[in-house]
Amino acid sequence: MKKLLYILIAVLIIGAVAYTLNNNKKEMTEAAAVAEIKSEAIPVTLTEVSSAKLDKSFTAQGNFKPVQSLTLVSEISGQIQKVYKRKGDKVRAGELLLQVEDNTSAANLATANANYQKAQKDLERMQNLIAGDAVTKRQVEEAQINVNATRAQLVAARQNQGNTRVTAPINGEINEMYIEVGSYLNANAGTRMYDIVNVDRLKLNVKASESEVLLISRGQKVKVTANAGGAQEYEGTVTAIGAAADASLKFDVEIEVKNTANNNLRAGMYGTAFFSVNAQRDALLLPREAIVGSIQDPSVWVAKDNKASLRKVKVGVVTQDQVEILDGIQPGEQVVRSGQINLREGIQVTPLK
């Protein structure tokens, strides 16, 4: 009987402990759920789009290209005997680059010259004989035609002889070299010899929007900097403006820039042109830190009814600490300025005071 009583008491004790543990677990789960709900409200700093007067001056980016560049091809067939200029060398127009074997062309020149001299003497004899009716007028005409033909052959032979000395057609720098001593040039195939690039003057090709292109004129002076060149400025001149927009509704603008004595600018470098305009316009501005992503693909977090929503925007002028908003945000809307790292679509936010 006592044994049965002990068993009942033990069962009651175990049941009481289990009931207590179950209640404690339920309370802890409810508390964790409440804490999780509270933790979903992310603290953020908000700001509004502000309206301000903005200078109409603007910048545009692009790449530097040489004003002059060419691939020099052979105009004569023959083997190269001597190379005077190599890749990386600077050259002046008319400077000797290489010498081609000229034995054949020299022989052809001598033959052409001899034929021309003979044709001239034949014509002189014919002109003397026609006075005595020893020759016909037709024979004199044929002698004159022969003089003209041999003169043309002599000119061609002299040109071929001159082509054996290949000279630079422009000032510049040899960017690539395709031949060596012993290489054979083929005039019919137009063998490539050199790529020559003139970087004394460069052109910066940039894109301008439809509103910006109306503020640009040919001959306008522009400040230009190279992204790799630090703060050094160059003076550029607008030389061409696109007559039609491309698929992105942008217009091509070409700016010619005079390089420094040391040719610090190089073709292919990335550059920025600053177009100074003495006028102002109304603009919507946001702090630069409110932008999420890159300037090329910008977005902002908008807070409405204490919920965050990511929205694409279109930006205009970008300064050191502000960005012009062209589309995507309306005046008065609340935008997250800081705290974006923890946000996701539709999450609760708590504005920090």
Side-chain angles (χ1 to χ4, degrees), residues 26-41:
K26 185 177 180 180
E27 291 176 359
M28 291 174 64
T29 301
E30 291 176 351
V34 172
E36 183 177 352
I37 292 173
K38 290 181 178 180
S39 66
E40 286 185 354

Side-chain angles (χ1 to χ4, degrees), residues 125-274:
R125 281 195 296 269
M126 291 290 182
Q127 289 172 338
N128 292 332
L129 291 173
I130 197 173
D133 294 329
V135 295
T136 64
K137 186 177 180 181
R138 180 179 181 136
Q139 288 176 307
V140 175
E141 291 175 349
E142 288 176 350
Q144 181 63 62
I145 291 173
N146 190 39
V147 168
N148 295 340
T150 54
R151 182 190 295 117
Q153 292 169 359
L154 178 59
V155 170
R158 284 173 177 169
Q159 184 174 356
N160 285 336
Q161 176 68 8
N163 287 340
T164 61
R165 291 172 54 85
V166 179
T167 58
I170 62 172
N171 297 337
E173 183 175 320
I174 297 177
N175 192 54
E176 194 55 77
M177 175 178 173
Y178 302 100
I179 44 81
E180 268 298 347
V181 173
S183 298
Y184 186 83
L185 303 180
N186 188 332
N188 294 328
T191 307
R192 290 194 301 175
M193 297 182 289
Y194 294 100
D195 286 341
I196 302 177
V197 178
N198 185 353
V199 293
D200 292 339
R201 291 179 296 121
L202 295 168
K203 55 185 177 182
L204 178 64
N205 293 326
V206 301
K207 299 282 188 180
S209 67
E210 56 185 5
S211 60
E212 293 169 343
V213 76
L214 296 176
L215 303 172
I216 304 173
S217 59
R218 290 189 63 178
Q220 180 177 343
K221 299 301 181 183
V222 179
K223 290 181 181 178
V224 174
T225 59
N227 289 21
Q232 184 172 358
E233 290 186 350
Y234 303 84
E235 183 180 78
T237 304
V238 177
T239 55
I241 303 172
D246 59 18
S248 65
L249 300 182
K250 296 278 189 175
F251 293 83
D252 290 318
V253 178
E254 184 178 289
I255 304 164
E256 188 170 307
V257 182
K258 185 177 180 180
N259 211 344
T260 61
N262 296 326
N263 285 346
N264 291 333
L265 294 178
R266 292 281 172 173
M269 282 185 172
Y270 196 69
T272 301
F274 177 76

Side-chain angles (χ1 to χ4, degrees), residues 47-48 50 284-301 313 315-325 335-338 340:
T47 186
E48 289 186 6
S50 61
L284 297 178
L285 303 177
L286 269 180
R288 176 67 180 84
E289 59 198 278
I291 300 297
V292 178
S294 67
I295 293 298
Q296 287 72 34
D297 186 26
S299 301
V300 296
W301 285 100
V313 294
V315 303
V317 175
V318 179
T319 64
Q320 186 174 0
D321 56 358
Q322 287 188 314
V323 177
E324 179 188 11
I325 303 298
V335 176
V336 178
R337 179 170 183 166
S338 62
Q340 300 98 322

